[in-house]
Amino acid sequence: QKEVEQDPGPLSVPEGAIVSLNCTYSNSAFQYFMWYRQYSRKGPELLMYTYSSGNKEDGRFTAQVDKSSKYISLFIRDSQPSDSATYLCAFRNTGGFKTIFGAGTRLFVKA
Amino acid sequence: GAGVSQSPSNKVTEKGKDVELRCDPISGHTALYWYRQSLGQGLEFLIYFQGNSAPDKSGLPSDRFSAERTGGSVSTLTIQRTQQEDSAVYLCASSLRGLNIVGTGGKHFGPGTRLTVL
């Protein structure tokens, strides 16, 4: 079993739709849960992170962590064409430096 | 301010040749990481430098790969006798500290070097 599973997509939605991106993981020691956004030909940039469990909201973006199910989600409300990118989930232990990344989901938001 | 920069942005080489990839981290960042991103794959950790400590090389896939960081700043990733399976985007990232990402915005990635081995 892979340590992190993420559907590569692509996921295509119309502008204004609610987008749901998900990852599952197997390592119960993960405490930092992150989402990175990567535009084409660019490096990933940290979008949101959550420590331990719960929800976090930042503008149109909401990150959710369900540690009991080892499942994390990123929701994008009122999606825009500028949200078109690859979204990578990422995980880390407390006190560690190694970040484990998902393969990324390619998202296309059509105008 | 300036972000992480990498050079070259693209590199095409022939199988068996050596290549050097360069990373200039954000000034003041003590932690530096190299990752490899292949099509359809997640970011694969290669090596981690933290200050003057010995680097963690546990992610390097073979002894053909090596990296150094001079003066705690610029880093060079060297791949000797390149193989076609080395073709990927090589990403460098830096952060204020290796362990604590809270409040530091996480890792700051460069744009990557796209390596193609023919």
Side-chain angles (χ1 to χ4, degrees), chain A residues 32-69:
Chain A
Y32 287 100
F33 305 91
M34 295 161 278
W35 286 95
Y36 281 79
R37 178 174 61 194
Q38 185 175 21
Y39 290 114
S40 181
R41 302 277 175 169
K42 302 286 187 184
E45 57 179 339
L46 182 66
L47 193 58
M48 296 182 72
Y49 75 87
T50 307
Y51 177 72
S52 190
S53 60
N55 297 353
K56 188 171 186 178
E57 187 173 323
D58 183 2
R60 296 184 294 111
F61 299 87
T62 300
Q64 287 186 351
V65 175
D66 182 348
K67 294 183 74 177
S68 61
S69 301

PDB file of all heavy atoms in Angstrom, chain A residues 32-69:
ATOM      1  N   TYR A  32       1.130  16.992  10.338  1.00  0.00           N
ATOM      2  CA  TYR A  32       0.974  18.168   9.491  1.00  0.00           C
ATOM      3  C   TYR A  32       0.349  17.729   8.170  1.00  0.00           C
ATOM      4  O   TYR A  32       0.822  16.786   7.540  1.00  0.00           O
ATOM      5  CB  TYR A  32       2.324  18.827   9.206  1.00  0.00           C
ATOM      6  CG  TYR A  32       2.910  19.571  10.370  1.00  0.00           C
ATOM      7  CD1 TYR A  32       3.910  19.003  11.149  1.00  0.00           C
ATOM      8  CD2 TYR A  32       2.471  20.855  10.692  1.00  0.00           C
ATOM      9  CE1 TYR A  32       4.451  19.683  12.219  1.00  0.00           C
ATOM     10  CE2 TYR A  32       3.018  21.545  11.760  1.00  0.00           C
ATOM     11  CZ  TYR A  32       3.996  20.956  12.514  1.00  0.00           C
ATOM     12  OH  TYR A  32       4.538  21.631  13.571  1.00  0.00           O
ATOM     13  N   PHE A  33      -0.709  18.424   7.794  1.00  0.00           N
ATOM     14  CA  PHE A  33      -1.446  18.090   6.580  1.00  0.00           C
ATOM     15  C   PHE A  33      -1.483  19.339   5.705  1.00  0.00           C
ATOM     16  O   PHE A  33      -1.999  20.374   6.128  1.00  0.00           O
ATOM     17  CB  PHE A  33      -2.855  17.613   6.922  1.00  0.00           C
ATOM     18  CG  PHE A  33      -2.856  16.473   7.897  1.00  0.00           C
ATOM     19  CD1 PHE A  33      -2.911  16.702   9.264  1.00  0.00           C
ATOM     20  CD2 PHE A  33      -2.752  15.170   7.441  1.00  0.00           C
ATOM     21  CE1 PHE A  33      -2.883  15.653  10.172  1.00  0.00           C
ATOM     22  CE2 PHE A  33      -2.734  14.112   8.340  1.00  0.00           C
ATOM     23  CZ  PHE A  33      -2.801  14.340   9.704  1.00  0.00           C
ATOM     24  N   MET A  34      -0.927  19.232   4.524  1.00  0.00           N
ATOM     25  CA  MET A  34      -0.720  20.404   3.700  1.00  0.00           C
ATOM     26  C   MET A  34      -1.294  20.219   2.300  1.00  0.00           C
ATOM     27  O   MET A  34      -1.438  19.091   1.813  1.00  0.00           O
ATOM     28  CB  MET A  34       0.790  20.673   3.572  1.00  0.00           C
ATOM     29  CG  MET A  34       1.443  21.031   4.891  1.00  0.00           C
ATOM     30  SD  MET A  34       3.237  20.806   4.864  1.00  0.00           S
ATOM     31  CE  MET A  34       3.357  19.044   5.180  1.00  0.00           C
ATOM     32  N   TRP A  35      -1.625  21.325   1.699  1.00  0.00           N
ATOM     33  CA  TRP A  35      -1.995  21.347   0.287  1.00  0.00           C
ATOM     34  C   TRP A  35      -1.098  22.348  -0.427  1.00  0.00           C
ATOM     35  O   TRP A  35      -0.953  23.496   0.003  1.00  0.00           O
ATOM     36  CB  TRP A  35      -3.461  21.735   0.115  1.00  0.00           C
ATOM     37  CG  TRP A  35      -4.400  20.643   0.506  1.00  0.00           C
ATOM     38  CD1 TRP A  35      -5.016  20.478   1.710  1.00  0.00           C
ATOM     39  CD2 TRP A  35      -4.816  19.541  -0.307  1.00  0.00           C
ATOM     40  NE1 TRP A  35      -5.789  19.337   1.704  1.00  0.00           N
ATOM     41  CE2 TRP A  35      -5.690  18.744   0.472  1.00  0.00           C
ATOM     42  CE3 TRP A  35      -4.544  19.142  -1.624  1.00  0.00           C
ATOM     43  CZ2 TRP A  35      -6.288  17.588  -0.012  1.00  0.00           C
ATOM     44  CZ3 TRP A  35      -5.140  17.990  -2.111  1.00  0.00           C
ATOM     45  CH2 TRP A  35      -6.006  17.227  -1.301  1.00  0.00           C
ATOM     46  N   TYR A  36      -0.496  21.880  -1.522  1.00  0.00           N
ATOM     47  CA  TYR A  36       0.319  22.727  -2.369  1.00  0.00           C
ATOM     48  C   TYR A  36      -0.392  22.880  -3.714  1.00  0.00           C
ATOM     49  O   TYR A  36      -1.049  21.951  -4.200  1.00  0.00           O
ATOM     50  CB  TYR A  36       1.706  22.118  -2.602  1.00  0.00           C
ATOM     51  CG  TYR A  36       2.688  22.302  -1.469  1.00  0.00           C
ATOM     52  CD1 TYR A  36       2.634  21.495  -0.330  1.00  0.00           C
ATOM     53  CD2 TYR A  36       3.681  23.276  -1.534  1.00  0.00           C
ATOM     54  CE1 TYR A  36       3.547  21.660   0.701  1.00  0.00           C
ATOM     55  CE2 TYR A  36       4.594  23.437  -0.497  1.00  0.00           C
ATOM     56  CZ  TYR A  36       4.514  22.627   0.609  1.00  0.00           C
ATOM     57  OH  TYR A  36       5.421  22.799   1.635  1.00  0.00           O
ATOM     58  N   ARG A  37      -0.203  24.036  -4.324  1.00  0.00           N
ATOM     59  CA  ARG A  37      -0.725  24.290  -5.662  1.00  0.00           C
ATOM     60  C   ARG A  37       0.473  24.478  -6.582  1.00  0.00           C
ATOM     61  O   ARG A  37       1.427  25.191  -6.249  1.00  0.00           O
ATOM     62  CB  ARG A  37      -1.597  25.546  -5.659  1.00  0.00           C
ATOM     63  CG  ARG A  37      -2.165  25.944  -7.007  1.00  0.00           C
ATOM     64  CD  ARG A  37      -3.126  27.117  -6.856  1.00  0.00           C
ATOM     65  NE  ARG A  37      -2.455  28.285  -6.309  1.00  0.00           N
ATOM     66  CZ  ARG A  37      -3.107  29.345  -5.821  1.00  0.00           C
ATOM     67  NH1 ARG A  37      -4.417  29.375  -5.809  1.00  0.00           N
ATOM     68  NH2 ARG A  37      -2.423  30.369  -5.346  1.00  0.00           N
ATOM     69  N   GLN A  38       0.395  23.844  -7.741  1.00  0.00           N
ATOM     70  CA  GLN A  38       1.497  23.937  -8.695  1.00  0.00           C
ATOM     71  C   GLN A  38       0.948  24.303 -10.063  1.00  0.00           C
ATOM     72  O   GLN A  38       0.232  23.511 -10.694  1.00  0.00           O
ATOM     73  CB  GLN A  38       2.257  22.605  -8.771  1.00  0.00           C
ATOM     74  CG  GLN A  38       3.487  22.663  -9.647  1.00  0.00           C
ATOM     75  CD  GLN A  38       4.293  21.365  -9.620  1.00  0.00           C
ATOM     76  OE1 GLN A  38       3.774  20.306  -9.278  1.00  0.00           O
ATOM     77  NE2 GLN A  38       5.570  21.441  -9.972  1.00  0.00           N
ATOM     78  N   TYR A  39       1.313  25.509 -10.525  1.00  0.00           N
ATOM     79  CA  TYR A  39       0.961  25.913 -11.871  1.00  0.00           C
ATOM     80  C   TYR A  39       1.952  25.303 -12.845  1.00  0.00           C
ATOM     81  O   TYR A  39       3.084  24.955 -12.480  1.00  0.00           O
ATOM     82  CB  TYR A  39       0.958  27.437 -11.995  1.00  0.00           C
ATOM     83  CG  TYR A  39      -0.177  28.108 -11.255  1.00  0.00           C
ATOM     84  CD1 TYR A  39       0.061  28.932 -10.147  1.00  0.00           C
ATOM     85  CD2 TYR A  39      -1.500  27.933 -11.663  1.00  0.00           C
ATOM     86  CE1 TYR A  39      -0.980  29.554  -9.473  1.00  0.00           C
ATOM     87  CE2 TYR A  39      -2.545  28.547 -10.983  1.00  0.00           C
ATOM     88  CZ  TYR A  39      -2.282  29.347  -9.894  1.00  0.00           C
ATOM     89  OH  TYR A  39      -3.318  29.954  -9.219  1.00  0.00           O
ATOM     90  N   SER A  40       1.525  25.221 -14.091  1.00  0.00           N
ATOM     91  CA  SER A  40       2.349  24.591 -15.110  1.00  0.00           C
ATOM     92  C   SER A  40       3.717  25.269 -15.202  1.00  0.00           C
ATOM     93  O   SER A  40       3.811  26.497 -15.231  1.00  0.00           O
ATOM     94  CB  SER A  40       1.632  24.666 -16.466  1.00  0.00           C
ATOM     95  OG  SER A  40       2.386  24.049 -17.467  1.00  0.00           O
ATOM     96  N   ARG A  41       4.757  24.492 -15.218  1.00  0.00           N
ATOM     97  CA  ARG A  41       6.142  24.958 -15.370  1.00  0.00           C
ATOM     98  C   ARG A  41       6.608  25.795 -14.165  1.00  0.00           C
ATOM     99  O   ARG A  41       7.546  26.577 -14.275  1.00  0.00           O
ATOM    100  CB  ARG A  41       6.304  25.802 -16.642  1.00  0.00           C
ATOM    101  CG  ARG A  41       5.914  25.055 -17.909  1.00  0.00           C
ATOM    102  CD  ARG A  41       7.035  24.216 -18.392  1.00  0.00           C
ATOM    103  NE  ARG A  41       6.658  23.400 -19.536  1.00  0.00           N
ATOM    104  CZ  ARG A  41       7.517  22.734 -20.280  1.00  0.00           C
ATOM    105  NH1 ARG A  41       8.793  22.769 -19.999  1.00  0.00           N
ATOM    106  NH2 ARG A  41       7.098  22.018 -21.306  1.00  0.00           N
ATOM    107  N   LYS A  42       5.936  25.623 -13.035  1.00  0.00           N
ATOM    108  CA  LYS A  42       6.321  26.327 -11.814  1.00  0.00           C
ATOM    109  C   LYS A  42       6.528  25.319 -10.695  1.00  0.00           C
ATOM    110  O   LYS A  42       6.092  24.169 -10.772  1.00  0.00           O
ATOM    111  CB  LYS A  42       5.227  27.315 -11.388  1.00  0.00           C
ATOM    112  CG  LYS A  42       4.876  28.363 -12.417  1.00  0.00           C
ATOM    113  CD  LYS A  42       5.949  29.412 -12.534  1.00  0.00           C
ATOM    114  CE  LYS A  42       5.493  30.542 -13.453  1.00  0.00           C
ATOM    115  NZ  LYS A  42       6.585  31.523 -13.656  1.00  0.00           N
ATOM    116  N   GLY A  43       7.201  25.767  -9.622  1.00  0.00           N
ATOM    117  CA  GLY A  43       7.321  24.921  -8.455  1.00  0.00           C
ATOM    118  C   GLY A  43       6.063  24.976  -7.618  1.00  0.00           C
ATOM    119  O   GLY A  43       5.258  25.905  -7.732  1.00  0.00           O
ATOM    120  N   PRO A  44       5.832  23.978  -6.764  1.00  0.00           N
ATOM    121  CA  PRO A  44       4.656  23.998  -5.887  1.00  0.00           C
ATOM    122  C   PRO A  44       4.738  25.154  -4.892  1.00  0.00           C
ATOM    123  O   PRO A  44       5.825  25.556  -4.472  1.00  0.00           O
ATOM    124  CB  PRO A  44       4.742  22.654  -5.157  1.00  0.00           C
ATOM    125  CG  PRO A  44       5.684  21.821  -5.944  1.00  0.00           C
ATOM    126  CD  PRO A  44       6.641  22.762  -6.588  1.00  0.00           C
ATOM    127  N   GLU A  45       3.582  25.672  -4.506  1.00  0.00           N
ATOM    128  CA  GLU A  45       3.521  26.703  -3.468  1.00  0.00           C
ATOM    129  C   GLU A  45       2.525  26.258  -2.413  1.00  0.00           C
ATOM    130  O   GLU A  45       1.469  25.694  -2.722  1.00  0.00           O
ATOM    131  CB  GLU A  45       3.116  28.056  -4.052  1.00  0.00           C
ATOM    132  CG  GLU A  45       1.793  28.034  -4.789  1.00  0.00           C
ATOM    133  CD  GLU A  45       1.377  29.386  -5.341  1.00  0.00           C
ATOM    134  OE1 GLU A  45       1.879  30.405  -4.847  1.00  0.00           O
ATOM    135  OE2 GLU A  45       0.538  29.409  -6.256  1.00  0.00           O
ATOM    136  N   LEU A  46       2.874  26.490  -1.153  1.00  0.00           N
ATOM    137  CA  LEU A  46       2.002  26.079  -0.057  1.00  0.00           C
ATOM    138  C   LEU A  46       0.714  26.895  -0.087  1.00  0.00           C
ATOM    139  O   LEU A  46       0.742  28.120  -0.068  1.00  0.00           O
ATOM    140  CB  LEU A  46       2.718  26.267   1.286  1.00  0.00           C
ATOM    141  CG  LEU A  46       1.932  25.827   2.514  1.00  0.00           C
ATOM    142  CD1 LEU A  46       1.711  24.318   2.501  1.00  0.00           C
ATOM    143  CD2 LEU A  46       2.660  26.236   3.791  1.00  0.00           C
ATOM    144  N   LEU A  47      -0.389  26.184  -0.112  1.00  0.00           N
ATOM    145  CA  LEU A  47      -1.707  26.819  -0.149  1.00  0.00           C
ATOM    146  C   LEU A  47      -2.301  26.899   1.254  1.00  0.00           C
ATOM    147  O   LEU A  47      -2.713  27.952   1.710  1.00  0.00           O
ATOM    148  CB  LEU A  47      -2.612  26.017  -1.079  1.00  0.00           C
ATOM    149  CG  LEU A  47      -3.927  26.601  -1.541  1.00  0.00           C
ATOM    150  CD1 LEU A  47      -3.702  27.911  -2.273  1.00  0.00           C
ATOM    151  CD2 LEU A  47      -4.645  25.609  -2.453  1.00  0.00           C
ATOM    152  N   MET A  48      -2.319  25.768   1.930  1.00  0.00           N
ATOM    153  CA  MET A  48      -2.884  25.703   3.283  1.00  0.00           C
ATOM    154  C   MET A  48      -2.228  24.572   4.048  1.00  0.00           C
ATOM    155  O   MET A  48      -1.772  23.606   3.445  1.00  0.00           O
ATOM    156  CB  MET A  48      -4.388  25.424   3.239  1.00  0.00           C
ATOM    157  CG  MET A  48      -5.206  26.498   2.582  1.00  0.00           C
ATOM    158  SD  MET A  48      -6.963  26.113   2.634  1.00  0.00           S
ATOM    159  CE  MET A  48      -7.315  26.380   4.370  1.00  0.00           C
ATOM    160  N   TYR A  49      -2.185  24.708   5.353  1.00  0.00           N
ATOM    161  CA  TYR A  49      -1.764  23.578   6.161  1.00  0.00           C
ATOM    162  C   TYR A  49      -2.593  23.518   7.426  1.00  0.00           C
ATOM    163  O   TYR A  49      -3.106  24.517   7.910  1.00  0.00           O
ATOM    164  CB  TYR A  49      -0.273  23.629   6.482  1.00  0.00           C
ATOM    165  CG  TYR A  49       0.124  24.639   7.523  1.00  0.00           C
ATOM    166  CD1 TYR A  49       0.103  24.320   8.882  1.00  0.00           C
ATOM    167  CD2 TYR A  49       0.549  25.908   7.150  1.00  0.00           C
ATOM    168  CE1 TYR A  49       0.477  25.247   9.826  1.00  0.00           C
ATOM    169  CE2 TYR A  49       0.921  26.833   8.094  1.00  0.00           C
ATOM    170  CZ  TYR A  49       0.885  26.504   9.428  1.00  0.00           C
ATOM    171  OH  TYR A  49       1.260  27.438  10.364  1.00  0.00           O
ATOM    172  N   THR A  50      -2.729  22.318   7.941  1.00  0.00           N
ATOM    173  CA  THR A  50      -3.456  22.064   9.172  1.00  0.00           C
ATOM    174  C   THR A  50      -2.583  21.218  10.073  1.00  0.00           C
ATOM    175  O   THR A  50      -1.916  20.285   9.598  1.00  0.00           O
ATOM    176  CB  THR A  50      -4.770  21.300   8.892  1.00  0.00           C
ATOM    177  OG1 THR A  50      -5.516  21.989   7.897  1.00  0.00           O
ATOM    178  CG2 THR A  50      -5.612  21.174  10.143  1.00  0.00           C
ATOM    179  N   TYR A  51      -2.555  21.559  11.332  1.00  0.00           N
ATOM    180  CA  TYR A  51      -1.833  20.740  12.297  1.00  0.00           C
ATOM    181  C   TYR A  51      -2.854  19.896  13.042  1.00  0.00           C
ATOM    182  O   TYR A  51      -3.861  20.417  13.520  1.00  0.00           O
ATOM    183  CB  TYR A  51      -1.035  21.592  13.279  1.00  0.00           C
ATOM    184  CG  TYR A  51      -0.347  20.775  14.338  1.00  0.00           C
ATOM    185  CD1 TYR A  51       0.759  19.993  14.014  1.00  0.00           C
ATOM    186  CD2 TYR A  51      -0.821  20.745  15.653  1.00  0.00           C
ATOM    187  CE1 TYR A  51       1.383  19.218  14.970  1.00  0.00           C
ATOM    188  CE2 TYR A  51      -0.196  19.971  16.615  1.00  0.00           C
ATOM    189  CZ  TYR A  51       0.909  19.211  16.271  1.00  0.00           C
ATOM    190  OH  TYR A  51       1.525  18.437  17.217  1.00  0.00           O
ATOM    191  N   SER A  52      -2.601  18.618  13.107  1.00  0.00           N
ATOM    192  CA  SER A  52      -3.491  17.644  13.738  1.00  0.00           C
ATOM    193  C   SER A  52      -4.803  17.578  12.963  1.00  0.00           C
ATOM    194  O   SER A  52      -4.781  17.518  11.747  1.00  0.00           O
ATOM    195  CB  SER A  52      -3.690  17.981  15.219  1.00  0.00           C
ATOM    196  OG  SER A  52      -4.349  16.909  15.865  1.00  0.00           O
ATOM    197  N   SER A  53      -5.929  17.626  13.598  1.00  0.00           N
ATOM    198  CA  SER A  53      -7.174  17.381  12.886  1.00  0.00           C
ATOM    199  C   SER A  53      -8.017  18.638  12.801  1.00  0.00           C
ATOM    200  O   SER A  53      -7.659  19.686  13.314  1.00  0.00           O
ATOM    201  CB  SER A  53      -7.961  16.278  13.597  1.00  0.00           C
ATOM    202  OG  SER A  53      -8.245  16.670  14.917  1.00  0.00           O
ATOM    203  N   GLY A  54      -9.146  18.511  12.116  1.00  0.00           N
ATOM    204  CA  GLY A  54     -10.089  19.619  12.065  1.00  0.00           C
ATOM    205  C   GLY A  54     -10.136  20.289  10.723  1.00  0.00           C
ATOM    206  O   GLY A  54      -9.600  19.806   9.730  1.00  0.00           O
ATOM    207  N   ASN A  55     -10.822  21.419  10.688  1.00  0.00           N
ATOM    208  CA  ASN A  55     -11.017  22.178   9.460  1.00  0.00           C
ATOM    209  C   ASN A  55     -10.287  23.502   9.532  1.00  0.00           C
ATOM    210  O   ASN A  55     -10.031  24.034  10.615  1.00  0.00           O
ATOM    211  CB  ASN A  55     -12.509  22.469   9.248  1.00  0.00           C
ATOM    212  CG  ASN A  55     -13.318  21.210   9.070  1.00  0.00           C
ATOM    213  OD1 ASN A  55     -12.768  20.119   8.972  1.00  0.00           O
ATOM    214  ND2 ASN A  55     -14.613  21.359   9.049  1.00  0.00           N
ATOM    215  N   LYS A  56      -9.945  24.005   8.368  1.00  0.00           N
ATOM    216  CA  LYS A  56      -9.341  25.324   8.282  1.00  0.00           C
ATOM    217  C   LYS A  56      -9.871  26.000   7.042  1.00  0.00           C
ATOM    218  O   LYS A  56      -9.933  25.378   5.978  1.00  0.00           O
ATOM    219  CB  LYS A  56      -7.820  25.208   8.219  1.00  0.00           C
ATOM    220  CG  LYS A  56      -7.086  26.531   8.326  1.00  0.00           C
ATOM    221  CD  LYS A  56      -5.599  26.276   8.469  1.00  0.00           C
ATOM    222  CE  LYS A  56      -4.843  27.566   8.728  1.00  0.00           C
ATOM    223  NZ  LYS A  56      -3.399  27.305   8.926  1.00  0.00           N
ATOM    224  N   GLU A  57     -10.264  27.246   7.178  1.00  0.00           N
ATOM    225  CA  GLU A  57     -10.829  27.974   6.045  1.00  0.00           C
ATOM    226  C   GLU A  57      -9.992  29.197   5.740  1.00  0.00           C
ATOM    227  O   GLU A  57      -9.522  29.899   6.644  1.00  0.00           O
ATOM    228  CB  GLU A  57     -12.268  28.398   6.376  1.00  0.00           C
ATOM    229  CG  GLU A  57     -13.019  29.007   5.209  1.00  0.00           C
ATOM    230  CD  GLU A  57     -14.488  29.244   5.538  1.00  0.00           C
ATOM    231  OE1 GLU A  57     -15.082  28.416   6.243  1.00  0.00           O
ATOM    232  OE2 GLU A  57     -15.011  30.275   5.111  1.00  0.00           O
ATOM    233  N   ASP A  58      -9.781  29.454   4.441  1.00  0.00           N
ATOM    234  CA  ASP A  58      -9.039  30.632   4.008  1.00  0.00           C
ATOM    235  C   ASP A  58      -9.657  31.107   2.703  1.00  0.00           C
ATOM    236  O   ASP A  58      -9.391  30.536   1.640  1.00  0.00           O
ATOM    237  CB  ASP A  58      -7.558  30.289   3.820  1.00  0.00           C
ATOM    238  CG  ASP A  58      -6.720  31.508   3.448  1.00  0.00           C
ATOM    239  OD1 ASP A  58      -7.276  32.626   3.371  1.00  0.00           O
ATOM    240  OD2 ASP A  58      -5.507  31.355   3.249  1.00  0.00           O
ATOM    241  N   GLY A  59     -10.508  32.087   2.806  1.00  0.00           N
ATOM    242  CA  GLY A  59     -11.180  32.596   1.606  1.00  0.00           C
ATOM    243  C   GLY A  59     -12.061  31.539   0.978  1.00  0.00           C
ATOM    244  O   GLY A  59     -12.933  30.969   1.632  1.00  0.00           O
ATOM    245  N   ARG A  60     -11.808  31.228  -0.269  1.00  0.00           N
ATOM    246  CA  ARG A  60     -12.621  30.239  -0.978  1.00  0.00           C
ATOM    247  C   ARG A  60     -12.156  28.798  -0.722  1.00  0.00           C
ATOM    248  O   ARG A  60     -12.758  27.867  -1.224  1.00  0.00           O
ATOM    249  CB  ARG A  60     -12.555  30.523  -2.488  1.00  0.00           C
ATOM    250  CG  ARG A  60     -13.172  31.863  -2.890  1.00  0.00           C
ATOM    251  CD  ARG A  60     -13.174  32.036  -4.414  1.00  0.00           C
ATOM    252  NE  ARG A  60     -11.833  32.133  -4.977  1.00  0.00           N
ATOM    253  CZ  ARG A  60     -11.273  31.188  -5.738  1.00  0.00           C
ATOM    254  NH1 ARG A  60     -11.929  30.066  -6.009  1.00  0.00           N
ATOM    255  NH2 ARG A  60     -10.052  31.363  -6.225  1.00  0.00           N
ATOM    256  N   PHE A  61     -11.102  28.652   0.037  1.00  0.00           N
ATOM    257  CA  PHE A  61     -10.509  27.337   0.266  1.00  0.00           C
ATOM    258  C   PHE A  61     -10.794  26.835   1.683  1.00  0.00           C
ATOM    259  O   PHE A  61     -10.678  27.588   2.647  1.00  0.00           O
ATOM    260  CB  PHE A  61      -8.987  27.391   0.042  1.00  0.00           C
ATOM    261  CG  PHE A  61      -8.589  27.774  -1.344  1.00  0.00           C
ATOM    262  CD1 PHE A  61      -8.458  29.109  -1.708  1.00  0.00           C
ATOM    263  CD2 PHE A  61      -8.343  26.804  -2.306  1.00  0.00           C
ATOM    264  CE1 PHE A  61      -8.092  29.472  -2.992  1.00  0.00           C
ATOM    265  CE2 PHE A  61      -7.972  27.150  -3.597  1.00  0.00           C
ATOM    266  CZ  PHE A  61      -7.850  28.488  -3.943  1.00  0.00           C
ATOM    267  N   THR A  62     -11.156  25.551   1.774  1.00  0.00           N
ATOM    268  CA  THR A  62     -11.348  24.905   3.069  1.00  0.00           C
ATOM    269  C   THR A  62     -10.608  23.585   3.065  1.00  0.00           C
ATOM    270  O   THR A  62     -10.780  22.779   2.148  1.00  0.00           O
ATOM    271  CB  THR A  62     -12.834  24.646   3.362  1.00  0.00           C
ATOM    272  OG1 THR A  62     -13.547  25.889   3.372  1.00  0.00           O
ATOM    273  CG2 THR A  62     -13.011  23.950   4.700  1.00  0.00           C
ATOM    274  N   ALA A  63      -9.778  23.377   4.095  1.00  0.00           N
ATOM    275  CA  ALA A  63      -9.066  22.116   4.250  1.00  0.00           C
ATOM    276  C   ALA A  63      -9.689  21.350   5.407  1.00  0.00           C
ATOM    277  O   ALA A  63      -9.985  21.922   6.453  1.00  0.00           O
ATOM    278  CB  ALA A  63      -7.582  22.369   4.504  1.00  0.00           C
ATOM    279  N   GLN A  64      -9.905  20.062   5.192  1.00  0.00           N
ATOM    280  CA  GLN A  64     -10.471  19.203   6.235  1.00  0.00           C
ATOM    281  C   GLN A  64      -9.563  18.007   6.455  1.00  0.00           C
ATOM    282  O   GLN A  64      -9.000  17.466   5.508  1.00  0.00           O
ATOM    283  CB  GLN A  64     -11.860  18.688   5.815  1.00  0.00           C
ATOM    284  CG  GLN A  64     -12.952  19.717   5.858  1.00  0.00           C
ATOM    285  CD  GLN A  64     -14.321  19.105   5.573  1.00  0.00           C
ATOM    286  OE1 GLN A  64     -14.437  17.948   5.185  1.00  0.00           O
ATOM    287  NE2 GLN A  64     -15.368  19.904   5.762  1.00  0.00           N
ATOM    288  N   VAL A  65      -9.442  17.613   7.721  1.00  0.00           N
ATOM    289  CA  VAL A  65      -8.647  16.439   8.075  1.00  0.00           C
ATOM    290  C   VAL A  65      -9.521  15.505   8.898  1.00  0.00           C
ATOM    291  O   VAL A  65     -10.126  15.922   9.882  1.00  0.00           O
ATOM    292  CB  VAL A  65      -7.395  16.827   8.877  1.00  0.00           C
ATOM    293  CG1 VAL A  65      -6.651  15.576   9.339  1.00  0.00           C
ATOM    294  CG2 VAL A  65      -6.483  17.725   8.062  1.00  0.00           C
ATOM    295  N   ASP A  66      -9.579  14.261   8.494  1.00  0.00           N
ATOM    296  CA  ASP A  66     -10.284  13.223   9.259  1.00  0.00           C
ATOM    297  C   ASP A  66      -9.253  12.160   9.597  1.00  0.00           C
ATOM    298  O   ASP A  66      -8.991  11.249   8.800  1.00  0.00           O
ATOM    299  CB  ASP A  66     -11.428  12.646   8.430  1.00  0.00           C
ATOM    300  CG  ASP A  66     -12.223  11.588   9.182  1.00  0.00           C
ATOM    301  OD1 ASP A  66     -11.764  11.136  10.239  1.00  0.00           O
ATOM    302  OD2 ASP A  66     -13.299  11.221   8.704  1.00  0.00           O
ATOM    303  N   LYS A  67      -8.658  12.261  10.784  1.00  0.00           N
ATOM    304  CA  LYS A  67      -7.587  11.341  11.141  1.00  0.00           C
ATOM    305  C   LYS A  67      -8.108   9.935  11.377  1.00  0.00           C
ATOM    306  O   LYS A  67      -7.380   8.960  11.174  1.00  0.00           O
ATOM    307  CB  LYS A  67      -6.840  11.854  12.375  1.00  0.00           C
ATOM    308  CG  LYS A  67      -6.083  13.146  12.101  1.00  0.00           C
ATOM    309  CD  LYS A  67      -5.297  13.610  13.295  1.00  0.00           C
ATOM    310  CE  LYS A  67      -4.073  12.781  13.538  1.00  0.00           C
ATOM    311  NZ  LYS A  67      -3.257  13.285  14.661  1.00  0.00           N
ATOM    312  N   SER A  68      -9.345   9.811  11.814  1.00  0.00           N
ATOM    313  CA  SER A  68      -9.871   8.470  12.064  1.00  0.00           C
ATOM    314  C   SER A  68      -9.982   7.675  10.775  1.00  0.00           C
ATOM    315  O   SER A  68      -9.778   6.462  10.752  1.00  0.00           O
ATOM    316  CB  SER A  68     -11.229   8.551  12.754  1.00  0.00           C
ATOM    317  OG  SER A  68     -12.162   9.221  11.936  1.00  0.00           O
ATOM    318  N   SER A  69     -10.276   8.374   9.678  1.00  0.00           N
ATOM    319  CA  SER A  69     -10.378   7.718   8.378  1.00  0.00           C
ATOM    320  C   SER A  69      -9.104   7.863   7.558  1.00  0.00           C
ATOM    321  O   SER A  69      -9.023   7.314   6.454  1.00  0.00           O
ATOM    322  CB  SER A  69     -11.539   8.313   7.579  1.00  0.00           C
ATOM    323  OG  SER A  69     -12.757   8.166   8.266  1.00  0.00           O
TER     324      SER A  69
END
